[in-house]
Amino acid sequence: MDTPSLRQLDLFAQMVAAGNLTRCANDMGLPPEQIARDLASLEMRLGYRLFDDLEGAARLTPAGRKTAEAMTLLSQDTADDWGRPAPALPTPPPAPIAAEPPRRTIMLAAPAPVFGHLQDALAAFEAANEDIAIALDLHVQSAADADAALKRGRADIAYFYALEAPEDFPSRYGWSEPVNIYAGGDHRLAQSQSVSRDDLAVTPMLAMERDNAMRAVIETALAKGKVRSGPVALESDNMATIMAALRKGAGLFAAFGPLARDLGRMAGIQRLALDMPLPAVEIRQAVRPDAAETLAVEALADFLFL
């Protein structure tokens, strides 16, 4: 979905290293409840679970393991930083030496929530093709990100957010996710049967931090839908903070994808009944220019559409 803050990534890295909530809390000098809340907030933003049994052994889920492997790319802020060393997770124990030949690695670049949507298909493809491993780059968000990653050879397949097909390079439509706007259940607009553009223009908004890629996608969608939103009352990448502010009636919050789905299920939070549809965010797939020369890449790209 967006690139989580470095603090959240550091917390995830510390939890991976500690392997236990209590030990992580002791190492960081924080209450276990706060770490659990922050990890839940991160999982909500990503759109999938990172750990099984957080209160116990805190085992990484398959998606959490893939995310840990992708951390060095996920923690970089801009494509211009791709050549610089990135903070690394603690080095895992060395894997036993295998007698099998090396596996062909396919690099998939996608926003984290899109990976969450694809993870079952990716696992099935790896299981059916034991000579292939799929690695992740969770940095790509926009068409420009995808184009750069493919042309620079940093990705074989890229998924990205767009409001329409880019003109600069070929891609194909995967699916769409509507942009919805949420308010606290007691907010005056939550009680309205129809919310207009004029209503939105005079109502404070809650937003993710300015350098958050998802915020840029949402603002572009609102602008295309001719929505002039009200003043920003709060900027935060912590979803627990956003949800608390929503419930207090501090403003409105726009979201799409798994984050919007989860917000719609939260007690005390309600989706607004807009009097006009907002442009949907498209999730599109593109492959590197010479993908046809590599059967495995072309096969995976097609498999993800089955």
Side-chain angles (χ1 to χ4, degrees):
M1 129 177 107
D2 52 312
T3 305
S5 67
L6 292 177
R7 192 188 77 79
Q8 288 177 312
L9 296 180
D10 179 62
L11 176 61
F12 176 49
Q14 293 287 347
M15 189 66 196
V16 172
N20 176 279
L21 182 61
T22 301
R23 189 178 304 122
C24 182
N26 290 337
D27 291 345
M28 299 188 73
L30 296 172
E33 297 79 12
Q34 180 179 335
I35 292 178
R37 282 197 306 271
D38 285 350
L39 286 173
S41 174
L42 176 59
E43 289 177 332
M44 187 175 179
R45 289 184 57 198
L46 295 176
Y48 53 85
R49 294 184 63 194
L50 295 167
F51 295 97
D52 282 325
D53 188 23
L54 183 63
E55 304 280 331
R59 296 179 300 274
L60 283 167
T61 64
R65 198 172 303 114
K66 286 284 189 184
T67 302
E69 293 168 0
M71 283 281 287
T72 54
L73 284 172
L74 185 62
S75 64
Q76 298 190 29
D77 292 328
T78 67
D80 292 335
D81 292 330
W82 280 349
R84 305 176 190 170
L89 281 171
T91 304
I97 298 174
E100 298 86 9
R103 301 169 77 189
R104 164 79 166 90
T105 299
I106 298 176
M107 178 63 76
L108 176 76
V114 173
F115 161 61
H117 180 90
L118 299 173
Q119 61 177 301
D120 290 342
L122 294 172
F125 188 88
E126 280 189 310
N129 298 273
E130 296 182 354
D131 59 333
I132 294 174
I134 299 169
L136 298 179
D137 174 352
L138 299 178
H139 186 279
V140 166
Q141 307 287 325
S142 67
D145 294 338
D147 190 29
L150 295 169
K151 287 179 177 175
R152 296 178 187 181
R154 295 189 58 86
D156 298 302
I157 302 170
Y159 280 83
F160 58 94
Y161 296 134
L163 297 182
E164 57 190 5
E167 297 180 357
D168 300 336
F169 63 100
S171 65
R172 57 178 167 175
Y173 171 84
W175 67 93
S176 292
E177 293 175 341
V179 175
N180 293 310
I181 300 180
Y182 296 86
D186 295 331
H187 194 283
R188 63 179 182 84
L189 294 184
Q191 311 299 320
S192 176
Q193 295 184 354
S194 180
V195 176
S196 69
R197 289 178 175 83
D198 290 340
D199 293 326
L200 299 178
V202 297
T203 306
M205 292 290 293
L206 313 176
M208 293 181 178
E209 293 176 9
R210 191 160 295 280
D211 60 355
N212 189 300
M214 180 171 276
R215 175 170 173 174
V217 174
I218 290 170
E219 289 181 344
T220 301
L222 294 178
K224 187 174 181 180
K226 296 182 172 55
V227 172
R228 183 168 55 87
S229 55
V232 177
L234 171 69
E235 295 177 321
S236 176
D237 280 348
N238 188 313
M239 290 313 303
T241 301
I242 292 289
M243 289 189 293
L246 278 173
R247 291 185 174 117
K248 290 178 180 177
L252 311 178
F253 184 71
F256 66 93
L259 177 56
R261 176 202 64 206
D262 290 344
L263 281 172
R265 296 171 178 170
M266 295 292 173
I269 296 174
Q270 187 169 320
R271 180 171 61 87
L272 298 186
L274 302 177
D275 67 354
M276 69 297 182
L278 295 175
V281 175
E282 294 184 2
I283 289 79
R284 302 189 68 86
Q285 183 204 73
V287 298
R288 70 169 199 260
D290 61 346
E293 300 174 13
T294 309
L295 293 180
V297 171
E298 197 168 48
L300 176 57
D302 290 338
F303 180 79
L304 295 174
F305 273 79
L306 295 179

mmCIF file of all heavy atoms in Angstrom, residues 235-257:
data_model
loop_
_atom_site.group_PDB
_atom_site.id
_atom_site.type_symbol
_atom_site.label_atom_id
_atom_site.label_comp_id
_atom_site.label_asym_id
_atom_site.label_seq_id
_atom_site.Cartn_x
_atom_site.Cartn_y
_atom_site.Cartn_z
ATOM 1 N N GLU A 235 -1.950 14.513 10.328
ATOM 2 C CA GLU A 235 -1.154 13.695 9.422
ATOM 3 C C GLU A 235 -0.465 12.614 10.237
ATOM 4 O O GLU A 235 0.294 12.918 11.163
ATOM 5 C CB GLU A 235 -0.113 14.540 8.686
ATOM 6 C CG GLU A 235 -0.701 15.587 7.747
ATOM 7 C CD GLU A 235 0.384 16.434 7.113
ATOM 8 O OE1 GLU A 235 1.365 16.777 7.817
ATOM 9 O OE2 GLU A 235 0.265 16.763 5.920
ATOM 10 N N SER A 236 -0.728 11.361 9.919
ATOM 11 C CA SER A 236 -0.103 10.270 10.668
ATOM 12 C C SER A 236 -0.097 9.002 9.833
ATOM 13 O O SER A 236 -1.050 8.719 9.104
ATOM 14 C CB SER A 236 -0.859 10.010 11.971
ATOM 15 O OG SER A 236 -0.299 8.894 12.656
ATOM 16 N N ASP A 237 0.994 8.244 9.947
ATOM 17 C CA ASP A 237 1.068 6.924 9.321
ATOM 18 C C ASP A 237 0.680 5.820 10.301
ATOM 19 O O ASP A 237 0.749 4.643 9.954
ATOM 20 C CB ASP A 237 2.481 6.668 8.791
ATOM 21 C CG ASP A 237 2.737 7.354 7.462
ATOM 22 O OD1 ASP A 237 1.770 7.822 6.844
ATOM 23 O OD2 ASP A 237 3.908 7.431 7.047
ATOM 24 N N ASN A 238 0.313 6.197 11.508
ATOM 25 C CA ASN A 238 -0.095 5.216 12.506
ATOM 26 C C ASN A 238 -1.609 5.066 12.446
ATOM 27 O O ASN A 238 -2.349 5.987 12.784
ATOM 28 C CB ASN A 238 0.351 5.672 13.900
ATOM 29 C CG ASN A 238 0.131 4.601 14.946
ATOM 30 O OD1 ASN A 238 -0.930 3.999 15.018
ATOM 31 N ND2 ASN A 238 1.152 4.361 15.758
ATOM 32 N N MET A 239 -2.080 3.909 12.008
ATOM 33 C CA MET A 239 -3.517 3.719 11.818
ATOM 34 C C MET A 239 -4.277 3.732 13.133
ATOM 35 O O MET A 239 -5.455 4.090 13.159
ATOM 36 C CB MET A 239 -3.794 2.426 11.064
ATOM 37 C CG MET A 239 -3.373 2.472 9.598
ATOM 38 S SD MET A 239 -3.912 3.992 8.749
ATOM 39 C CE MET A 239 -5.675 3.934 9.019
ATOM 40 N N ALA A 240 -3.628 3.366 14.224
ATOM 41 C CA ALA A 240 -4.305 3.455 15.520
ATOM 42 C C ALA A 240 -4.618 4.911 15.847
ATOM 43 O O ALA A 240 -5.696 5.238 16.361
ATOM 44 C CB ALA A 240 -3.429 2.838 16.612
ATOM 45 N N THR A 241 -3.689 5.811 15.506
ATOM 46 C CA THR A 241 -3.916 7.241 15.715
ATOM 47 C C THR A 241 -5.033 7.755 14.820
ATOM 48 O O THR A 241 -5.902 8.525 15.253
ATOM 49 C CB THR A 241 -2.612 8.022 15.437
ATOM 50 O OG1 THR A 241 -1.587 7.553 16.322
ATOM 51 C CG2 THR A 241 -2.815 9.516 15.636
ATOM 52 N N ILE A 242 -5.026 7.323 13.562
ATOM 53 C CA ILE A 242 -6.079 7.745 12.617
ATOM 54 C C ILE A 242 -7.439 7.262 13.098
ATOM 55 O O ILE A 242 -8.428 8.027 13.109
ATOM 56 C CB ILE A 242 -5.790 7.190 11.201
ATOM 57 C CG1 ILE A 242 -4.547 7.861 10.606
ATOM 58 C CG2 ILE A 242 -6.992 7.367 10.287
ATOM 59 C CD1 ILE A 242 -4.720 9.302 10.209
ATOM 60 N N MET A 243 -7.538 6.016 13.519
ATOM 61 C CA MET A 243 -8.829 5.476 13.953
ATOM 62 C C MET A 243 -9.343 6.175 15.208
ATOM 63 O O MET A 243 -10.537 6.459 15.314
ATOM 64 C CB MET A 243 -8.721 3.969 14.182
ATOM 65 C CG MET A 243 -8.582 3.168 12.885
ATOM 66 S SD MET A 243 -8.706 1.379 13.149
ATOM 67 C CE MET A 243 -7.228 1.078 14.097
ATOM 68 N N ALA A 244 -8.425 6.473 16.126
ATOM 69 C CA ALA A 244 -8.842 7.187 17.340
ATOM 70 C C ALA A 244 -9.381 8.570 16.983
ATOM 71 O O ALA A 244 -10.398 9.018 17.527
ATOM 72 C CB ALA A 244 -7.671 7.294 18.310
ATOM 73 N N ALA A 245 -8.710 9.264 16.049
ATOM 74 C CA ALA A 245 -9.158 10.597 15.647
ATOM 75 C C ALA A 245 -10.489 10.527 14.909
ATOM 76 O O ALA A 245 -11.362 11.395 15.083
ATOM 77 C CB ALA A 245 -8.094 11.251 14.763
ATOM 78 N N LEU A 246 -10.676 9.498 14.085
ATOM 79 C CA LEU A 246 -11.961 9.319 13.406
ATOM 80 C C LEU A 246 -13.088 9.170 14.418
ATOM 81 O O LEU A 246 -14.136 9.816 14.313
ATOM 82 C CB LEU A 246 -11.919 8.090 12.491
ATOM 83 C CG LEU A 246 -11.292 8.240 11.106
ATOM 84 C CD1 LEU A 246 -11.180 6.875 10.433
ATOM 85 C CD2 LEU A 246 -12.116 9.181 10.242
ATOM 86 N N ARG A 247 -12.878 8.322 15.395
ATOM 87 C CA ARG A 247 -13.925 8.058 16.374
ATOM 88 C C ARG A 247 -14.245 9.289 17.222
ATOM 89 O O ARG A 247 -15.364 9.432 17.713
ATOM 90 C CB ARG A 247 -13.512 6.887 17.265
ATOM 91 C CG ARG A 247 -13.487 5.541 16.531
ATOM 92 C CD ARG A 247 -13.191 4.396 17.469
ATOM 93 N NE ARG A 247 -13.317 3.110 16.792
ATOM 94 C CZ ARG A 247 -12.307 2.255 16.615
ATOM 95 N NH1 ARG A 247 -11.096 2.562 17.076
ATOM 96 N NH2 ARG A 247 -12.498 1.108 16.000
ATOM 97 N N LYS A 248 -13.260 10.165 17.359
ATOM 98 C CA LYS A 248 -13.491 11.404 18.117
ATOM 99 C C LYS A 248 -14.131 12.495 17.258
ATOM 100 O O LYS A 248 -14.417 13.587 17.759
ATOM 101 C CB LYS A 248 -12.169 11.917 18.686
ATOM 102 C CG LYS A 248 -11.610 11.041 19.800
ATOM 103 C CD LYS A 248 -10.267 11.589 20.279
ATOM 104 C CE LYS A 248 -9.689 10.715 21.389
ATOM 105 N NZ LYS A 248 -8.344 11.192 21.816
ATOM 106 N N GLY A 249 -14.338 12.211 15.965
ATOM 107 C CA GLY A 249 -14.955 13.202 15.088
ATOM 108 C C GLY A 249 -14.017 14.280 14.613
ATOM 109 O O GLY A 249 -14.457 15.360 14.209
ATOM 110 N N ALA A 250 -12.684 14.004 14.616
ATOM 111 C CA ALA A 250 -11.709 15.030 14.260
ATOM 112 C C ALA A 250 -11.678 15.342 12.770
ATOM 113 O O ALA A 250 -11.158 16.378 12.369
ATOM 114 C CB ALA A 250 -10.314 14.607 14.717
ATOM 115 N N GLY A 251 -12.213 14.451 11.943
ATOM 116 C CA GLY A 251 -12.188 14.695 10.506
ATOM 117 C C GLY A 251 -12.554 13.453 9.724
ATOM 118 O O GLY A 251 -12.991 12.447 10.295
ATOM 119 N N LEU A 252 -12.361 13.528 8.414
ATOM 120 C CA LEU A 252 -12.658 12.436 7.495
ATOM 121 C C LEU A 252 -11.356 11.798 7.028
ATOM 122 O O LEU A 252 -10.298 12.422 7.071
ATOM 123 C CB LEU A 252 -13.436 12.961 6.280
ATOM 124 C CG LEU A 252 -14.638 13.842 6.565
ATOM 125 C CD1 LEU A 252 -15.252 14.314 5.242
ATOM 126 C CD2 LEU A 252 -15.672 13.108 7.425
ATOM 127 N N PHE A 253 -11.441 10.568 6.555
ATOM 128 C CA PHE A 253 -10.248 9.865 6.088
ATOM 129 C C PHE A 253 -10.594 9.068 4.838
ATOM 130 O O PHE A 253 -11.569 8.307 4.830
ATOM 131 C CB PHE A 253 -9.721 8.929 7.179
ATOM 132 C CG PHE A 253 -8.435 8.231 6.817
ATOM 133 C CD1 PHE A 253 -7.247 8.929 6.746
ATOM 134 C CD2 PHE A 253 -8.432 6.867 6.536
ATOM 135 C CE1 PHE A 253 -6.059 8.283 6.425
ATOM 136 C CE2 PHE A 253 -7.259 6.214 6.218
ATOM 137 C CZ PHE A 253 -6.057 6.927 6.154
ATOM 138 N N ALA A 254 -9.810 9.254 3.782
ATOM 139 C CA ALA A 254 -10.031 8.539 2.519
ATOM 140 C C ALA A 254 -9.067 7.368 2.420
ATOM 141 O O ALA A 254 -7.892 7.472 2.800
ATOM 142 C CB ALA A 254 -9.839 9.489 1.340
ATOM 143 N N ALA A 255 -9.562 6.244 1.889
ATOM 144 C CA ALA A 255 -8.728 5.043 1.776
ATOM 145 C C ALA A 255 -9.259 4.155 0.668
ATOM 146 O O ALA A 255 -10.399 4.299 0.214
ATOM 147 C CB ALA A 255 -8.702 4.282 3.100
ATOM 148 N N PHE A 256 -8.415 3.214 0.235
ATOM 149 C CA PHE A 256 -8.841 2.201 -0.729
ATOM 150 C C PHE A 256 -8.127 0.900 -0.400
ATOM 151 O O PHE A 256 -7.219 0.859 0.433
ATOM 152 C CB PHE A 256 -8.539 2.644 -2.175
ATOM 153 C CG PHE A 256 -7.074 2.752 -2.505
ATOM 154 C CD1 PHE A 256 -6.384 1.679 -3.059
ATOM 155 C CD2 PHE A 256 -6.371 3.925 -2.269
ATOM 156 C CE1 PHE A 256 -5.033 1.777 -3.360
ATOM 157 C CE2 PHE A 256 -5.023 4.037 -2.566
ATOM 158 C CZ PHE A 256 -4.342 2.959 -3.119
ATOM 159 N N GLY A 257 -8.549 -0.168 -1.060
ATOM 160 C CA GLY A 257 -7.886 -1.450 -0.886
ATOM 161 C C GLY A 257 -8.132 -2.091 0.462
ATOM 162 O O GLY A 257 -9.136 -1.826 1.130
#
